[in-house]
Amino acid sequence: MSDVVTFGEPMVLFAGDRSEIYNSDQFTKYVAGSELNVSIGLARLGYDVIYMTKLGEDPFGHYIYDFIKKEKVNISHVKFDSSHLTGIMFKSKRENGDPEIFYFRKHSAASSMNRSDLEFVKKENPKIIHLTGITPAISNDTKDATFYLAKLAKEKNITLTFDPNLRPQLWKDKTEMVRVINDLAFSSDVFLPGIKEAEILTGLSEPQKIAQFYLSKGVRIVVVKLGEKGAFVAKSNESYFINSFSVKVIDTVGAGDGFAVGIISGLADGLSLRETVTRANAIGAMQVMTPGDNDGLPNREKLEEFLRGVV
Ligand code: KDG
């Protein structure tokens, strides 16, 4: 029995040296992908994480495979696909705010994943399944597979954590994005929207009202991420704000994945909700201090040092 199962699309990331991709001359190679970032973060904390994906039979697919292997993520279900390519992502370098993002991922190997690739999860029976709103956006097959895992989590009483990770550029239209993401959110146990995402999904702007909306749909724990202001957390009998950590931001991408690592690991370690969200804020903060999408995710020692204020 593994601790966590997740699946999604990993990409080779080329991070440019200027504030626009157009003007960048030098690009540094990293590996990206929300669910992969979460898997890496959890593996660094010592969890047994199964990450499922499909990679192209190309240099980038092999590069990603070797990268994940080194991180000790369980990749026994990862497949290579010789008829599709590995996805690629570009991002610019911004001093302030979110970078510009551009993808080459249409018809990628990962977008050809379907529910039959996830049959193994039934036998695996993990404690937690983690899903994001990116995977259902990349193809109809991956959308179906995402709903399949959400249903399986319900049937087998597996905790489902869900990060909406809205990527409007991957959806046909906003109405479909909101409908699909809310359907998945309503079936999750722990929902992790950013405040701007939650505004798009609900039309509400106050964290308390947003949390109440999802709790009334059956979600057990709602954590609204507020960036520099920390997070608002709510479940049936408790709700409060938790402050963030003040750090020097190098790049904001991957903060939400770091946050999810803190939530999932806190739940798995049996921490209180307050301690769990504090850990989530800490890992999110550690991630934004680095240029890649997962290079700031800590091991236990670094996390404890950070929490003690040593760093
Ligand atoms: O959450 C960080 C991700 O945005 C990044 O690593 C790439 O998965 C990614 C995406 O689809 O944007």
Side-chain angles (χ1 to χ4, degrees):
M1 188 185 186
S2 59
D3 297 313
V4 183
V5 167
T6 186
F7 87 118
E9 172 160 42
M11 290 165 287
V12 166
L13 159 66
F14 291 100
D17 59 349
R18 301 279 167 81
S19 59
E20 311 296 328
I21 293 171
Y22 178 94
N23 293 322
S24 291
D25 296 319
Q26 309 277 344
F27 291 85
T28 307
K29 185 166 64 145
Y30 296 94
V31 169
S34 176
E35 306 78 8
L36 174 58
N37 299 336
V38 172
S39 303
I40 289 172
L42 290 169
R44 286 185 190 161
L45 293 178
Y47 291 97
D48 179 15
V49 193
I50 299 182
Y51 174 67
M52 164 60 200
T53 194
K54 268 191 187 165
L55 296 162
E57 192 55 85
D58 52 55
F60 294 139
H62 286 283
Y63 178 75
I64 292 173
Y65 186 85
D66 293 343
F67 178 91
I68 316 176
K69 201 164 154 195
K70 272 193 229 128
E71 291 286 348
K72 308 223 166 29
V73 172
N74 183 334
I75 44 170
S76 51
H77 297 279
V78 171
K79 297 179 183 164
F80 278 93
D81 174 347
S82 53
S83 45
H84 299 90
L85 296 171
T86 306
I88 303 178
M89 168 176 165
F90 293 85
K91 87 178 167 185
S92 67
K93 183 178 179 176
R94 291 263 157 95
E95 296 303 331
N96 288 307
D98 298 336
E100 182 193 0
I101 302 282
F102 188 77
Y103 303 116
F104 278 91
R105 64 195 300 189
K106 221 176 165 88
H107 308 302
S108 65
S111 70
S112 73
M113 284 187 287
N114 60 50
R115 62 165 70 195
S116 70
D117 295 311
L118 297 164
E119 278 294 318
F120 74 89
V121 185
K122 270 192 200 151
K123 269 201 232 123
E124 207 50 60
N125 211 17
K127 294 188 200 112
I128 296 174
I129 291 178
H130 177 67
L131 298 173
T132 85
I134 299 173
T135 322
I138 60 180
S139 75
N140 283 334
D141 278 342
T142 55
K143 190 193 324 169
D144 174 69
T146 308
F147 277 95
Y148 170 75
L149 273 199
K151 189 157 165 270
L152 190 73
K154 267 257 146 15
E155 282 165 11
K156 296 208 153 214
N157 227 357
I158 298 168
T159 300
L160 178 65
T161 56
F162 181 59
D163 180 342
N165 249 332
L166 296 188
R167 298 286 181 272
Q169 50 184 309
L170 299 177
W171 291 92
K172 218 173 44 226
D173 60 61
K174 185 178 159 195
T175 314
E176 199 210 350
M177 174 177 81
V178 169
R179 183 180 52 75
V180 170
I181 300 293
N182 271 336
D183 277 355
L184 287 163
F186 299 160
S187 67
S188 68
D189 296 293
V190 183
F191 182 47
L192 308 170
I195 182 75
K196 284 190 202 138
E197 293 175 318
E199 280 173 16
I200 296 170
L201 292 169
T202 64
L204 302 166
S205 52
E206 286 168 42
Q208 292 90 334
K209 289 198 174 143
I210 291 163
Q212 202 41 53
F213 173 77
Y214 287 103
L215 291 179
S216 76
K217 300 287 182 188
V219 180
R220 205 156 50 80
I221 300 173
V222 182
V223 191
V224 185
K225 295 172 276 186
L226 305 168
E228 287 167 6
K229 294 195 186 123
F232 178 76
V233 52
K235 67 178 200 181
S236 61
N237 53 355
E238 50 179 307
S239 66
Y240 38 83
F241 286 92
I242 298 194
N243 287 339
S244 68
F245 294 84
S246 169
V247 293
K248 181 168 170 16
V249 179
I250 305 274
D251 179 88
T252 52
V253 184
D257 300 333
F259 192 90
V261 170
I263 295 290
I264 296 167
S265 65
L267 294 174
D269 285 350
L271 299 186
S272 71
L273 193 51
R274 195 177 279 277
E275 288 165 332
T276 298
V277 179
T278 301
R279 181 188 281 187
N281 276 337
I283 302 180
M286 292 175 86
Q287 175 50 38
V288 300
M289 292 160 76
T290 60
D293 286 14
N294 48 49
D295 34 355
L297 301 172
N299 58 22
R300 292 248 172 209
E301 205 187 322
K302 288 208 175 116
L303 174 61
E304 270 148 36
E305 264 177 26
F306 183 88
L307 285 169
R308 280 200 306 268
V310 174
V311 176

